[in-house]
Amino acid sequence: MNLETGYTVRRARTSDVPGIEALVEPLVQQRILLGKDRVVFYEAVQEFRVAVDASGALIGCGALHVMWEDLGEVRTLAVDAKWLGRGVGYAIMQRLEADAQGLGLSRLFCLTFEVGFFARNGFSDMGTETVDPAVYAELVRSPDEGVAEFLDLARVKPNTLGNTRMVKRLN
């Protein structure tokens, strides 16, 4: 526990899934995040990092999903409304970036309405940036919606209207 901040960021556990769902649900209702079935959270629990307060209550979450040899996606970043503005999102991002670098990734992608937060964390609008045609040919085979969002495929447009595709290059 960091005594200055009052919270810790750690690897998620299966017992955290209901709390992750509870953190995400208000953002789903506001149409900021896409809803996911509980089974999807369990399948991806190893991708998640969570922030917990001194009592052990979940106050934030975020996931890192590997998309390609050098590319990962920051997913499902959420912070309890009572903890906004206290560095929880930043701390989770720092942990996800460290995880990404540990995996050998050099770029992070996100699809977000929270452009200001991600810009403050080094992301920029990726505009029409694409990947090498050979990599595109491989990625387009993925059934993963995040990969489709990264590639800006038409089939995900109804879910992503208004979101900004952002990317960050890691050191």
Side-chain angles (χ1 to χ4, degrees), residues 33 73-78 89 93 96-97 108-125 164 166-168:
L33 291 176
E73 180 184 8
V74 173
R75 293 182 170 180
T76 320
L77 186 59
M93 274 298 308
L96 295 176
E97 285 184 25
L108 288 178
F109 163 76
C110 71
L111 181 72
T112 186
F113 286 109
E114 302 297 330
V115 173
F117 170 82
F118 282 96
R120 287 189 304 276
N121 282 278
F123 285 75
S124 58
D125 187 325
T164 301
M166 300 184 81
V167 68
K168 177 178 184 174

Side-chain angles (χ1 to χ4, degrees), residues 2 4-11 48-52 59-63 74 77-79 83-99 117-118 120-121 168:
N2 183 326
E4 288 181 29
T5 62
Y7 59 84
T8 300
V9 177
R10 63 165 172 78
R11 177 179 295 279
F48 275 86
R49 299 298 176 257
V50 295
V52 293
I59 60 169
C61 66
V74 173
L77 186 59
V79 175
W83 283 84
L84 290 174
R86 295 172 64 182
V88 176
Y90 175 77
I92 293 169
M93 274 298 308
Q94 292 298 301
R95 179 66 184 268
L96 295 176
E97 285 184 25
D99 291 346
F117 170 82
F118 282 96
R120 287 189 304 276
N121 282 278
K168 177 178 184 174

Side-chain angles (χ1 to χ4, degrees), residues 14 17-18 21 35-46 48:
T14 56
V17 167
E21 278 186 310
K36 295 179 179 153
D37 293 324
R38 183 172 283 192
V39 67
V40 175
F41 287 117
Y42 280 115
E43 289 173 341
V45 74
Q46 71 280 359
F48 275 86

Side-chain angles (χ1 to χ4, degrees), residues 23-35:
L23 278 172
V24 169
E25 186 56 30
L27 299 173
V28 171
Q29 294 304 317
Q30 296 170 43
R31 301 182 61 113
I32 293 171
L33 291 176
L34 293 176

Side-chain angles (χ1 to χ4, degrees), residues 139-162:
L139 286 173
V140 78
R141 296 178 185 163
S142 174
D144 187 271
E145 291 298 304
V147 173
E149 292 162 349
F150 174 76
L151 297 175
D152 205 23
L153 300 180
R155 71 179 168 86
V156 294
K157 291 295 186 200
N159 293 332
T160 63
L161 292 178

